[in-house]
């Protein structure tokens, strides 16, 4: 592996080019060509090593010899396209008759090819054109990312408005979703989940009861025991919530939480009567957090249940209502880090 050394250019970032050719003389020529240019050039003689380097580092453009050992250029591209669809690739050939068929170039998304020669004018023009394309795609992607961020913010604000509408009707729900969200995050962190999973738990917890917007106030706010018919309507709220969120792609990851947080590990829950690992993992976490908050919150017909009794109940329901692993993780938090639970309860005091 060899690297051309250049002076740092001011302004835009320096675009990185990797040249792959098993002829040392070609790489030496390319190194000289790009020396003191606006580009940062790396050269590799071994095509297998080059594939691994592209996996580990970012390059904007590749100059790739077609006839190499142990892999031909098209085989190198085939491997790279398995994990990198964006790299701009120019194929170098000893003669135009040695270039791969047009069908292969299209299939592998090779942007172009250039014959090797003592003069590099054509190659320089192709490289400059390629980098311009890379810059243009960057600008397009930046605009798309900005638009997606704005769209996501608008959707979140819309659903947040619905959530507040539910909480305005039901004093129990006020603060409940926030607590379920934070309890779920604590459990997820205890289980060593990824940052993306933690984010999904946080948002899923906030919106898990959004479907209650579709439940009549006469049922949602009824202080006495619900009839079987009324309870059946209450049980519709997970499916209603999933339907509300289903039209926006940004909510696809939290829909399993919204739809399945009332499933039970033994298969007796709702709406799907899913059992064990059929229940989405994050929904199993939210189910424990949701039940815990229901037991420890003040209701119209009772005060909060004593924490020791709550722990006994969670333990008793391992393997029936709750995923045993999730329940044990939460019990460890309750037994060893209860101050974190109290912080959440003090932050979102139930009314």
């Amino acid at each position: 592996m060899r690297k051309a050394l250049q002076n740092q250019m001011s302004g835009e970032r320096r675009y990185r080019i990797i040249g792959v050719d098993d002829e040392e003389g070609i790489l030496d020529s390319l190194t000289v060509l790009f020396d003191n240019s606006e580009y940062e050039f790396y050269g590799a003689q071994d095509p297998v090593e080059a594939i691994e380097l592209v996996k580990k580092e970012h390059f904007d453009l590749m100059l790739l010899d077609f006839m190499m050992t142990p892999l031909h250029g098209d085989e190198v591209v085939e491997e790279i396209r398995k994990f990198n669809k964006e790299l701009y690739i120019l194929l170098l050939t000893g003669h135009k008759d040695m270039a791969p068929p047009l069908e292969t170039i299209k299939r592998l998304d090779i942007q172009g090819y250039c014959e090797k020669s003592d003069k590099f004018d054509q190659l320089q023009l192709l490289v400059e054109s390629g980098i311009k394309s890379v810059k243009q795609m960057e600008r397009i992607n930046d605009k798309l990312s900005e638009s997606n961020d704005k769209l996501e913010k608008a959707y979140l604000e819309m659903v947040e408005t619905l959530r507040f509408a539910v909480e305005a009707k039901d004093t129990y729900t006020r603060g409940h979703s926030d607590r379920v969200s934070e309890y779920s995050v604590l459990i997820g962190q205890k289980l060593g989940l990824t940052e993306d999973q933690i984010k999904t738990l946080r948002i899923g917890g906030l919106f898990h009861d959004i479907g209650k917007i579709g439940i009549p106030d006469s049922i949602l706010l009824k202080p006495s025991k619900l009839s079987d018919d009324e309870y059946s309507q209450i049980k519709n709220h997970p499916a209603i919530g999933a339907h509300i969120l289903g039209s926006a792609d940004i909510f696809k990851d939290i829909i399993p939480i919204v739809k399945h947080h009332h499933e039970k590990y033994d298969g007796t829950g709702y709406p799907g009567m899913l059992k064990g690992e059929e229940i989405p993992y994050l929904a199993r976490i939210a189910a424990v957090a949701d039940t815990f908050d229901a037991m420890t919150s003040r209701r119209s017909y009772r005060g909060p249940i004593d924490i020791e009794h709550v722990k006994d109940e969670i333990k008793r329901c391992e393997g029936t209502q709750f995923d045993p692993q999730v329940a044990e993780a939460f019990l460890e938090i309750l037994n060893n880090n209860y101050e974190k639970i109290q912080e959440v309860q003090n932050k979102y005091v139930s009314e």
Side-chain angles (χ1 to χ4, degrees):
M1 186 71 61
R2 54 172 60 74
K3 174 183 175 183
L5 301 175
Q6 294 101 3
N7 296 323
Q8 181 66 43
M9 306 288 291
S10 60
E12 290 185 323
R13 76 172 179 87
R14 300 173 71 210
Y15 288 83
R16 305 181 79 216
I17 300 172
I18 180 170
V20 187
D21 198 308
D22 55 2
E23 292 185 40
E24 187 174 3
I26 295 294
L27 290 180
D28 288 339
S29 297
L30 291 174
T31 299
V32 172
L33 176 66
F34 293 111
D35 190 27
N36 295 319
S37 73
E38 61 183 297
Y39 310 125
E40 190 174 339
F41 179 77
Y42 289 76
Q45 278 186 260
D46 187 334
V48 177
E49 287 184 12
I51 292 169
E52 292 304 310
L53 187 62
V54 172
K55 281 183 181 178
K56 295 175 184 176
E57 298 187 32
H58 173 77
F59 292 95
D60 299 289
L61 185 144
M62 172 179 277
L63 299 174
L64 178 65
D65 185 27
F66 178 49
M67 300 297 291
M68 290 186 296
T69 58
L71 297 176
H72 281 189
D74 55 341
E75 295 173 304
V76 173
V77 179
E78 193 147 14
E79 287 301 310
I80 288 175
R81 289 307 186 212
K82 291 177 181 178
F83 62 87
N84 186 327
K85 306 291 186 184
E86 308 300 324
L87 181 62
Y88 195 100
I89 298 177
L90 292 175
L91 208 59
L92 301 180
T93 62
H95 190 275
K96 63 181 179 181
D97 293 336
M98 299 173 65
L102 183 59
E103 297 75 22
T104 301
I105 291 176
K106 288 182 177 180
R107 178 175 61 84
L108 297 177
D109 196 20
I110 297 171
Q111 279 70 28
Y113 66 89
C114 179
E115 289 182 48
K116 297 179 184 178
S117 71
D118 295 335
K119 295 181 179 180
F120 290 100
D121 294 353
Q122 184 186 12
L123 179 61
Q124 283 182 302
L125 288 173
L126 287 172
V127 167
E128 289 176 11
S129 176
I131 294 298
K132 283 181 181 178
S133 295
V134 171
K135 290 179 180 179
Q136 183 65 22
M137 284 306 302
E138 284 182 345
R139 285 192 287 268
I140 291 171
N141 288 334
D142 286 345
K143 289 180 180 179
L144 285 174
S145 178
E146 184 180 344
S147 298
N148 287 337
D149 287 344
K150 289 180 179 178
L151 183 61
E152 180 175 349
K153 184 173 183 290
Y155 272 123
L156 287 172
E157 288 174 351
M158 176 193 72
V159 178
E160 191 80 335
T161 300
L162 290 177
R163 181 170 80 96
F164 290 148
V166 174
E167 294 182 358
K169 296 198 301 181
D170 184 1
T171 55
Y172 161 67
T173 304
R174 199 169 306 151
H176 167 70
S177 295
D178 296 281
R179 292 190 298 273
V180 169
S181 172
E182 298 217 17
Y183 296 149
S184 296
V185 167
L186 289 176
I187 298 171
Q189 291 170 338
K190 183 71 176 178
L191 292 168
L193 301 191
T194 66
E195 288 185 14
D196 285 344
Q197 289 173 310
I198 296 295
K199 179 183 177 183
T200 300
L201 277 173
R202 186 181 301 280
I203 300 174
L206 287 175
F207 296 150
H208 76 285
D209 273 343
I210 194 69
K212 286 184 176 179
I213 193 76
I215 305 300
D217 289 0
S218 58
I219 297 175
L220 193 63
L221 306 179
K222 186 176 180 180
S224 56
K225 184 178 179 180
L226 297 176
S227 67
D228 290 344
D229 182 62
E230 289 169 334
Y231 184 58
S232 293
Q233 290 193 58
I234 281 283
K235 287 165 68 174
N236 287 331
H237 80 269
I240 295 171
H243 179 73
I244 290 172
L245 301 178
S247 59
D249 188 60
I250 63 168
F251 294 125
K252 66 180 185 299
D253 292 333
I254 72 168
I255 287 176
I257 295 175
V258 174
K259 188 172 183 178
H260 297 295
H261 66 278
H262 281 295
E263 304 285 359
K264 295 183 179 180
Y265 203 71
D266 62 4
T268 62
Y270 62 89
M273 298 186 71
L274 303 183
K275 184 176 182 179
E277 294 189 4
E278 294 175 351
I279 307 168
Y281 188 47
L282 301 188
R284 285 179 255 160
I285 293 173
V288 175
D290 186 39
T291 303
F292 173 79
D293 192 67
M295 289 191 288
T296 55
S297 297
R298 184 176 300 279
R299 308 301 293 270
S300 60
Y301 51 88
R302 64 155 174 82
I305 299 174
D306 176 75
I307 188 61
E308 292 304 319
H309 181 73
V310 170
K311 288 192 283 188
D312 290 342
E313 189 67 11
I314 293 174
K315 185 69 178 177
R316 184 182 69 82
C317 292
E318 285 184 10
T320 53
Q321 184 172 352
F322 305 128
D323 178 326
Q325 181 194 29
V326 175
E328 280 298 321
F330 192 49
L331 285 172
E332 285 187 31
I333 296 171
L334 293 175
N335 288 323
N336 302 317
N337 303 103
Y338 189 59
E339 71 280 358
K340 293 183 178 179
I341 301 296
Q342 291 176 310
E343 287 175 11
V344 175
Q345 291 173 333
N346 291 334
K347 187 176 178 181
Y348 305 104
V349 180
S350 59
E351 298 184 13

